[in-house]
């Protein structure tokens, strides 16, 4: 063919090997340093408490060990709440996020308004609303569905989560190039098919890091439920301190709880960063 | 080319008829009074400077872009009819884009199989057999399981062609499909399109490949300022263009 044949010397594209992500070691070192730092502070505070405590009574370590199982149980309850409200918030948020990119204004505008409202509201206020506005039980004819406090707390925390997930989903969908929509449209895919089979599967990998980030934030925020009187890790810790009435234990006791959260949330944060890096390189 | 002429005489009914089409984006008129008839089995090339509305015209033909005035008929279906069944139209019209637009999360074979299975609701086994044949036809039998990111531009574009063909369209639109390719991979794609045209597929190409247009096209149209200015046979178009504007353009590019 005339066009393709050429005598001109042609430079072939040169593809440089990808530059190895430098500074990978730095965050790892930093992380290890952080863990070591917190451990040292914890040990030091414990030692101080042990040394300054009244001689007649139990040592700080003994008391801490006595309360550890209960505090840990409370912490597990925090995790349970976080998982359930994340699940609920994600389910609702995905629907709102898809609503936000709907071509129908009747769907798009309410989804946008709800998202903005709950995203910019203080979590604790939303939690108060959920606790005090939701009834104890809902009766559907003869069936009465009970609404214990912890269920209400899950709903209360799920509200801001849903709003944030909605934004993550909207952003993820918007980040897919318009050519994908165009070619799906040209292949006679319906809008719904395009969304679920072509756009969302691609967008999910871009949504995953911010979604995990949100989950870590939510997990730490679950301690808010202790304010509305639910027996979570923080409530138990506070009760333990009141029961022992040993002020020098305050520092190590709370640090113990903090360490549990840290041990759970920090790996999530690291994984999020790793995913972000991987997806960023792959484009 | 002789075979093709015979085929054309036998199957000459119009597939795409564009009459008095105008398209404006706000106050900016992209197409004005465009008339174009493409008969079954014909290959038509549209050339012209950038921004002259060539790609817009293609997008109007399969209703990706609505027209402002005039009428477009594809395989007897009125494209500008408000009650148009867009999905039915798009089953008849395949389009290949400059940027390939393959689905990056699916393999080459899955890309080809997706629309027939989910849109045409055809049986998977049937579709798979046909898709394997189509990939062989575009010379990519060995790349079934490759993801688009693992293919060269030319290979991706050939998968995109196979993907459109899998819908058994009555007409294929090509929107500057070689513009993003280097000369070598460009050739693979052009050969694929030429084979299609020779087999009697109705093709409308927007292209900057003058040599290709001259070799393959039954008609060459030149667009400028939204007007299609030259519909004579290609030899005359390239040999002795009637319009001054066409002459000026060809002097620049040939």
């Amino acid at each position: 063919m005339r066009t393709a044949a050429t005598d001109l010397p042609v430079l072939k594209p040169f593809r440089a090997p990808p530059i190895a992500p430098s500074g990978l070691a730095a965050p790892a070192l930093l992380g290890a340093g952080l863990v070591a730092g917190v451990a040292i502070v914890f040990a030091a505070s414990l030692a101080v408490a042990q040394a300054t405590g009244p001689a007649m009574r139990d040592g700080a370590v003994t008391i801490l060990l006595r309360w550890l199982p209960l505090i840990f149980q409370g912490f597990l309850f925090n995790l349970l709440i976080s998982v359930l409200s994340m699940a609920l918030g994600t389910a609702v948020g995905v629907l709102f996020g898809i609503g936000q990119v709907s071509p129908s204004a009747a769907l798009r505008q309410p989804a946008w308004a709800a998202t903005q409202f709950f995203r910019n509201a203080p979590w604790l206020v939303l939690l108060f609303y959920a606790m005090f506005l939701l009834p104890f039980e809902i009766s559907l004819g003869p069936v009465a569905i009970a609404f214990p406090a912890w269920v209400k707390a899950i709903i209360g925390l799920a509200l801001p989560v849903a709003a944030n997930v909605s934004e993550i989903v909207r952003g993820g969908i918007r980040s897919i190039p318009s050519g994908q929509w165009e070619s799906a449209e040209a292949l006679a895919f319906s809008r719904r098919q395009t969304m679920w089979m072509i756009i969302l599967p691609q967008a999910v990998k871009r949504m995953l890091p911010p979604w995990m980030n949100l989950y870590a934030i939510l997990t730490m925020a679950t301690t808010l439920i202790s304010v509305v009187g639910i027996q979570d890790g923080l409530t138990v810790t506070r009760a333990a301190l009141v029961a022992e009435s040993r002020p020098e234990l305050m520092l190590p006791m709370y640090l113990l709880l903090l360490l549990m959260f840290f041990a759970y949330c920090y790996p999530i944060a690291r994984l999020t960063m790793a995913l972000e890096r991987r997806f960023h390189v792959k484009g | 080319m002789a075979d093709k002429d015979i085929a054309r005489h036998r199957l000459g009914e119009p597939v795409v008829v564009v009459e008095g089409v105008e398209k404006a984006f706000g106050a900016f008129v992209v197409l004005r009074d465009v008339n174009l008839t493409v008969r079954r089995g014909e290959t038509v090339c549209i050339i012209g400077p950038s921004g002259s509305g060539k790609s817009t015209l293609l997008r109007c033909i399969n209703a990706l872009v609505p027209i402002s005035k005039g009428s477009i008929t594809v395989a007897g279906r009125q494209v500008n009819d408000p009650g148009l069944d867009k999905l039915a139209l798009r089953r008849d019209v395949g389009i290949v884009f400059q940027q390939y637009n393959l689905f990056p999360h699916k393999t080459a074979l899955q890309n080809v199989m997706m629309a027939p299975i989910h849109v045409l609701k055809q049986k998977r086994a049937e579709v798979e057999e046909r898709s394997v044949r189509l990939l062989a036809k575009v010379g990519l039998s060995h790349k079934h399981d490759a993801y688009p990111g693992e293919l060269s531009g030319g290979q991706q574009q050939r998968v995109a062609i196979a993907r459109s063909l899998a819908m058994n369209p009555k007409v294929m639109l090509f929107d500057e499909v070689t513009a993003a390719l280097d000369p070598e991979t460009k050739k693979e794609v052009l050969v694929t399109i030429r084979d299609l045209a020779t087999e009697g597929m109705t093709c409308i190409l927007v292209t900057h490949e003058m040599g290709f247009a001259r070799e393959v096209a039954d008609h060459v149209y030149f667009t400028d300022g939204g007007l299609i200015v030259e519909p004579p046979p290609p030899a005359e178009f390239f040999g002795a263009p009637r319009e001054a504007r066409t002459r000026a353009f060809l002097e620049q590019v040939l």
Side-chain angles (χ1 to χ4, degrees), chain A residues 81-98:
Chain A
I81 296 279
S82 76
V83 169
L84 292 177
S85 29
M86 194 66 191
L88 180 62
T90 303
V92 175
V94 167
L95 294 180
F96 273 76
I98 292 174

Side-chain angles (χ1 to χ4, degrees), chain A residues 72-249:
Chain A
F72 189 67
Q73 253 177 35
F75 167 70
L76 286 184
F77 189 66
N78 281 87
L79 294 195
L80 179 72
I81 296 279
S82 76
V83 169
L84 292 177
S85 29
M86 194 66 191
L88 180 62
T90 303
V92 175
V94 167
L95 294 180
F96 273 76
I98 292 174
Q100 281 204 83
V101 294
S102 165
S104 143
L107 223 62
R108 194 174 58 237
Q109 282 164 1
W112 175 84
T115 301
Q116 291 309 317
F117 179 77
F118 287 112
R119 213 165 86 94
N120 295 295
W123 290 34
L124 188 55
V125 177
L126 292 177
L127 190 60
F128 267 73
Y129 269 128
M131 298 306 294
F132 303 122
L133 290 183
L134 288 175
F136 292 110
E137 60 176 30
I138 294 179
S139 44
L140 296 165
V143 198
I145 300 168
F147 257 150
W150 62 275
V151 173
K152 292 199 240 177
I154 288 169
I155 295 172
L157 287 172
L159 290 174
V161 170
N164 281 284
V165 168
S166 170
E167 275 301 276
I168 291 170
V169 169
R170 187 190 64 83
I173 290 171
R174 282 267 177 269
S175 75
I176 303 299
S178 63
Q180 292 288 314
W181 285 98
E182 201 176 31
S183 63
E185 203 182 346
L187 285 166
F189 282 99
S190 68
R191 202 189 140 81
R192 181 181 294 245
Q193 283 176 321
T194 307
M195 183 64 92
W196 288 97
M197 294 163 65
I198 293 157
I199 303 300
L200 282 179
Q202 294 181 56
V204 158
K205 81 172 191 183
R206 303 186 190 199
M207 296 186 234
L208 201 56
W211 181 81
M212 286 167 53
N213 193 27
L214 178 64
Y215 175 66
I217 292 172
L218 168 68
T219 305
M220 292 178 277
T222 52
T223 47
L224 288 175
I225 63 177
S226 75
V227 179
V228 292
I230 298 172
Q231 296 282 323
D232 78 326
L234 183 57
T235 317
V236 174
T237 312
R238 218 169 37 196
L241 281 169
V242 171
E244 296 291 342
S245 63
R246 296 268 291 270
E248 79 276 9
L249 276 178

Side-chain angles (χ1 to χ4, degrees), chain B residues 187-223:
Chain B
K187 189 169 173 176
E188 313 161 356
V189 174
L190 291 178
V191 166
T192 307
I193 299 173
R194 193 187 56 194
D195 291 348
L196 268 184
T198 321
E199 283 166 20
M201 174 59 79
T202 310
C203 299
I204 305 178
L205 285 102
V206 164
T207 186
H208 291 300
E209 304 294 325
M210 298 303 157
F212 183 77
R214 190 174 203 163
E215 183 193 344
V216 173
D218 296 298
H219 297 285
V220 176
Y221 291 83
F222 179 75
T223 59

Side-chain angles (χ1 to χ4, degrees), chain B residues 8-252:
Chain B
R8 187 155 71 245
H9 288 304
R10 199 173 59 234
L11 313 158
E13 80 272 23
V15 180
V16 177
V17 181
V18 176
E19 284 175 316
V21 162
E22 193 175 302
K23 173 67 193 173
F25 292 106
F28 180 61
V29 180
V30 186
L31 299 170
R32 79 181 88 219
D33 194 26
V34 170
N35 295 287
L36 180 79
T37 301
V38 184
R39 294 176 179 280
R40 182 139 158 216
E42 275 186 340
T43 300
V44 163
C45 287
I46 303 172
I47 64 172
S50 299
S52 60
K54 308 182 297 291
S55 298
T56 305
L57 178 59
L58 283 194
R59 281 165 168 73
C60 289
I61 291 174
N62 74 345
L64 284 175
V65 173
I67 57 175
S68 316
K69 220 160 63 186
S71 90
I72 298 179
T73 315
V74 176
R77 198 176 270 120
Q78 192 79 15
V79 175
N80 47 312
D81 178 359
L84 165 80
D85 182 352
K86 282 188 183 175
L87 299 186
L89 167 79
R90 286 169 190 152
R91 283 169 208 163
D92 284 346
V93 183
I95 185 164
V96 183
F97 300 95
Q98 179 179 344
Q99 293 303 333
Y100 339 124
N101 295 347
L102 291 180
F103 305 134
H105 60 304
K106 299 280 181 186
T107 64
L109 188 63
Q110 286 169 341
N111 262 281
V112 179
M113 288 171 61
M114 252 181 115
I117 288 177
H118 297 292
V119 177
L120 302 180
K121 311 284 182 205
Q122 292 170 342
K123 288 204 189 70
R124 175 171 276 275
E126 238 167 70
V127 173
E128 180 155 2
E129 193 198 322
R130 199 169 74 235
S131 304
V132 167
R133 254 201 337 267
L134 283 169
L135 278 181
K137 185 192 175 86
V138 298
L140 291 171
S141 293
H142 56 300
K143 293 287 186 190
H144 286 177
D145 300 324
Y147 284 89
E150 301 161 354
L151 297 172
S152 74
Q155 289 170 334
Q156 287 191 53
Q157 195 57 291
R158 285 182 285 154
V159 174
I161 293 173
R163 181 174 71 169
S164 286
L165 290 175
M167 297 290 278
N168 280 326
K170 296 196 169 94
V171 54
M172 285 285 283
L173 312 177
F174 296 92
D175 185 14
E176 296 194 27
V177 292
T178 55
L181 302 174
D182 57 83
E184 256 175 79
T185 48
K186 204 174 261 187
K187 189 169 173 176
E188 313 161 356
V189 174
L190 291 178
V191 166
T192 307
I193 299 173
R194 193 187 56 194
D195 291 348
L196 268 184
T198 321
E199 283 166 20
M201 174 59 79
T202 310
C203 299
I204 305 178
L205 285 102
V206 164
T207 186
H208 291 300
E209 304 294 325
M210 298 303 157
F212 183 77
R214 190 174 203 163
E215 183 193 344
V216 173
D218 296 298
H219 297 285
V220 176
Y221 291 83
F222 179 75
T223 59
D224 187 38
L227 265 168
I228 285 200
V229 289
E230 187 115 9
E236 191 183 326
F237 175 88
F238 287 105
R242 285 178 226 161
E243 305 274 342
R245 181 65 186 84
T246 317
R247 266 203 302 280
F249 179 75
L250 287 176
E251 273 164 22
Q252 295 290 320

